[in-house]
Amino acid sequence: FDVRETIRVLLVDGDPSERPYASETDYLLRALSPRGVASGGRRPGSIVAERVSWLDLPAVRLDGFDVVVLANVADLRAEQAKALLAFVRAGGGLIVTLGDKIEPKLLVARLGSEDVPLLPGVPVRRTRAGEVDGQPSPGWTIAAAGEHPLNYVVGLIPPPLLDEARVDELFETPPVEGGRVVLKLAESGLPLLLARPCGQGQVLLLTTTADRAWSNLAIHPLFPMLMHEAVGYLAGQARR
């Protein structure tokens, strides 16, 4: 067994802000390190999260981290995309979350090409709740899709509480070959969370934002539970 005291996570913020909970990674940081945030970092928990702006990513060594999160990152250098591919193939975990900074063709060119086959799905277009059936909607609800180690988290939430988690907007993202849908939208069936193995590592793709811009998931109890389980799952892939 490989037992470690901490899992190191790098949060790459694609939309930084100095205002509280206005940055793309504020809710992620709070979800992953609630103890560290609440106590000013004096008592780090089992997950240690470090945040950088997406513009500073080229200067960061990835080999010091177990999981990297790209949160609404508009673009990457070609060499950085290849570094991420090497990181995942060697056993690292990658989480990609989408948002208004994302241009689908550019994202696919960077992380979904034959040279850098990381994305579990191909973002096609932004879609809002109600646009699919043409009716006003309070937002989509969330459901598990198929069988996956992360699916059980949804079953831990009582149905009335789970129903309060609503997604207003996302990217329609059909899975690629080798990609699996982990979570979906109950009403439309659109993928919400996808997974794909890559070498010894794994990639997760959240088709909505990690903040409150497109959903209320960031302030729902499902969010910290899902993020903790996702990080633990990704960090353990190379050691299973």
Side-chain angles (χ1 to χ4, degrees), residues 4-11 32-33 44-52 60-69 87 92-94 231-232 234-235 239:
R4 292 170 294 166
E5 291 188 5
T6 59
I7 297 174
R8 294 198 63 201
V9 180
L10 176 65
L11 303 176
L32 292 174
S33 301
S46 59
I47 298 175
V48 176
E50 179 179 332
R51 173 166 53 182
V52 297
V60 179
R61 290 181 57 90
L62 300 181
D63 55 7
F65 296 93
D66 300 293
V67 178
V68 175
V69 182
F87 169 76
L94 175 63
V231 165
L234 292 175
R239 301 167 179 84

Side-chain angles (χ1 to χ4, degrees), residues 70 75-76 78 81-82 84-85 89 94 96 103-123 173-177 196 198 203 205:
L70 299 180
D75 194 13
L76 295 169
K82 291 181 179 180
L84 282 168
L85 177 63
R89 282 179 170 171
L94 175 63
V96 180
E103 202 291 308
K105 291 183 179 179
L106 182 58
L107 179 65
V108 172
R110 292 288 187 257
L111 299 178
S113 66
E114 293 183 0
D115 294 332
V116 187
L118 285 171
L119 292 180
V122 177
T173 309
V176 300
E177 184 177 356
R196 181 185 187 182
C198 181
V203 182
L205 173 62

Side-chain angles (χ1 to χ4, degrees), residues 113-182:
S113 66
E114 293 183 0
D115 294 332
V116 187
L118 285 171
L119 292 180
V122 177
V124 178
R125 67 184 184 95
R126 287 169 62 173
T127 302
R128 292 185 58 84
E131 291 181 357
V132 174
D133 55 12
Q135 300 295 323
S137 172
W140 288 296
T141 56
I142 299 171
E147 294 184 3
H148 191 275
L150 295 178
N151 274 350
Y152 87 96
V153 179
V154 175
L156 299 177
I157 306 290
L161 180 59
L162 182 62
D163 187 62
E164 293 179 6
R166 297 282 174 156
V167 178
D168 299 312
E169 190 169 354
L170 49 57
F171 274 93
E172 293 185 25
T173 309
V176 300
E177 184 177 356
R180 298 173 58 187
V181 180
V182 179

Side-chain angles (χ1 to χ4, degrees), residues 193-229:
L193 183 67
L194 300 99
R196 181 185 187 182
C198 181
Q200 291 184 293
Q202 190 99 195
V203 182
L204 296 177
L205 173 62
L206 182 68
T207 61
T208 190
T209 60
D211 61 8
R212 297 180 63 183
W214 291 3
S215 78
N216 69 348
L217 183 60
I219 58 171
H220 191 275
L222 176 62
F223 188 68
M225 295 169 64
L226 180 62
M227 288 300 103
H228 274 259
E229 291 300 314

Side-chain angles (χ1 to χ4, degrees), residues 13-27 51 72 100-101 210-213:
D13 200 316
D15 189 16
S17 174
E18 295 182 357
R19 294 183 292 114
Y21 293 100
S23 291
E24 198 73 29
T25 56
D26 282 341
Y27 289 97
R51 173 166 53 182
N72 197 12
D100 61 342
K101 305 297 182 184
D211 61 8
R212 297 180 63 183

